[in-house]
């Protein structure tokens, strides 16, 4: 949202806050655009000037969370080797933990692919760059960087989906440790 007109920022903030509040009492599928706008005190026409529908708005909310995460985690992209992958896993699960309520509310069948797509897009290039650099530095990777990128992101997506939907998920610290161990074995 940075760099956007102040009025638009206020509108987005009001809509996001109302969205989060509504998700506490209703499923994503039950929320209507009119209800969201009424709750945010934003005209429905204003909403439609910025978003095609509630699905595009939900994507926007997820992208905004990820942009803030990337801004906060920009230092770990400068790391290399195991430290990078440890920071990647730790940061990804911190993001999930800090937004659990919102993401669980959105983790319905209709939104799972959208959430996965946004997460995939935000991680792909940086991870591929690091794997390619590791290979160029002489690290003996278990597969080509492109394949490893897909395997790691796919594993993270599936682990996150499982963590959100399982009735008795692993504690986050154990999940992070096991994911990191698996990724380190995969890349070495």
């Amino acid at each position: 949202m940075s760099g956007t007109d102040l009025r638009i920022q206020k509108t987005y903030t009001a809509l996001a806050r109302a969205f989060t509040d509504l998700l506490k009492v209703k499923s994503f599928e039950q929320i209507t655009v009119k209800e969201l706008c009424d709750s945010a005190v934003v005209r429905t026409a204003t909403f439609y000037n910025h978003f095609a529908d509630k699905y595009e708005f939900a994507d926007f909310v997820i992208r905004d969370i990820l942009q803030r995460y990337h801004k906060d985690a920009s230092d770990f992209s400068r790391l290399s080797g195991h430290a990078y992958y440890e920071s990647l896993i730790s940061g990804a699960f911190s993001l999930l933990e800090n937004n659990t309520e919102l993401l669980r509310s959105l983790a319905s069948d209709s939104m799972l692919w959208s959430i996965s797509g946004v997460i995939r897009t935000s991680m792909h290039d940086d991870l591929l760059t690091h794997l390619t650099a590791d290979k160029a530095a002489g690290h003996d990777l278990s597969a080509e960087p492109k394949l490893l990128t897909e395997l790691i992101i796919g594993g993270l997506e599936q682990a996150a989906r499982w963590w959100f939907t399982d009735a008795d998920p692993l504690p986050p610290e154990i999940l992070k440790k096991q994911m990191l161990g698996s990724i380190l074995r995969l890349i070495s």
Side-chain angles (χ1 to χ4, degrees):
M1 276 194 284
S2 65
T4 306
D5 180 281
L6 185 57
R7 291 171 297 164
I8 294 172
Q9 285 182 11
K10 288 181 178 181
T11 298
Y12 289 168
T13 299
L15 285 167
R17 189 172 294 128
F19 187 56
T20 302
D21 291 344
L22 286 169
L23 283 169
K24 291 177 184 174
V25 294
K26 290 183 154 192
S27 71
F28 175 74
E29 285 79 12
Q30 294 173 323
I31 297 172
T32 65
V33 170
K34 181 179 179 346
E35 182 178 31
L36 173 62
C37 291
D38 289 348
S39 182
V41 191
V42 170
R43 293 181 47 228
T44 305
T46 301
F47 177 91
Y48 285 114
N49 283 337
H50 297 272
F51 306 102
D53 54 28
K54 70 180 185 177
Y55 297 94
E56 186 177 303
F57 176 71
D59 279 353
F60 167 80
V61 170
I62 295 164
R63 279 188 177 82
D64 186 55
I65 290 168
L66 287 169
Q67 279 181 332
R68 283 185 274 131
Y69 160 74
H70 281 299
K71 184 179 172 187
D72 294 342
S74 61
D75 289 339
F76 84 76
S77 66
R78 294 184 206 132
L79 299 172
S80 62
H82 289 192
Y84 168 77
Y85 301 105
E86 186 173 346
S87 293
L88 176 75
I89 298 300
S90 183
F93 281 97
S94 291
L95 173 71
L96 295 175
E97 288 175 283
N98 292 335
N99 297 284
T100 299
E101 189 174 315
L102 173 65
L103 293 172
R104 268 214 174 102
S105 298
L106 290 174
S108 63
D109 288 339
S110 62
M111 288 303 296
L112 280 175
W113 288 112
S114 179
I115 292 169
S116 293
V118 170
I119 292 170
R120 172 175 288 279
T121 301
S122 73
M123 292 179 68
H124 185 276
D125 292 343
D126 189 54
L127 181 58
L128 180 58
T129 298
H130 273 81
L131 286 165
T132 302
D134 284 349
K135 182 177 180 179
H139 295 284
D140 187 24
L141 302 178
S142 64
E144 287 300 312
K146 287 182 180 181
L147 176 58
L148 287 173
T149 299
E150 294 303 319
L151 289 170
I152 291 169
I153 291 175
L156 286 170
E157 285 174 332
Q158 197 58 37
R161 187 175 291 144
W162 166 75
W163 190 70
F164 276 117
T165 57
D166 192 80
D168 187 27
L170 290 173
E173 287 306 314
I174 292 173
L175 184 58
K176 282 188 244 184
K177 183 178 179 181
Q178 290 182 5
M179 285 295 298
L180 177 61
S182 297
I183 288 172
L184 292 178
R185 281 190 298 280
L186 186 62
I187 62 171
S188 357

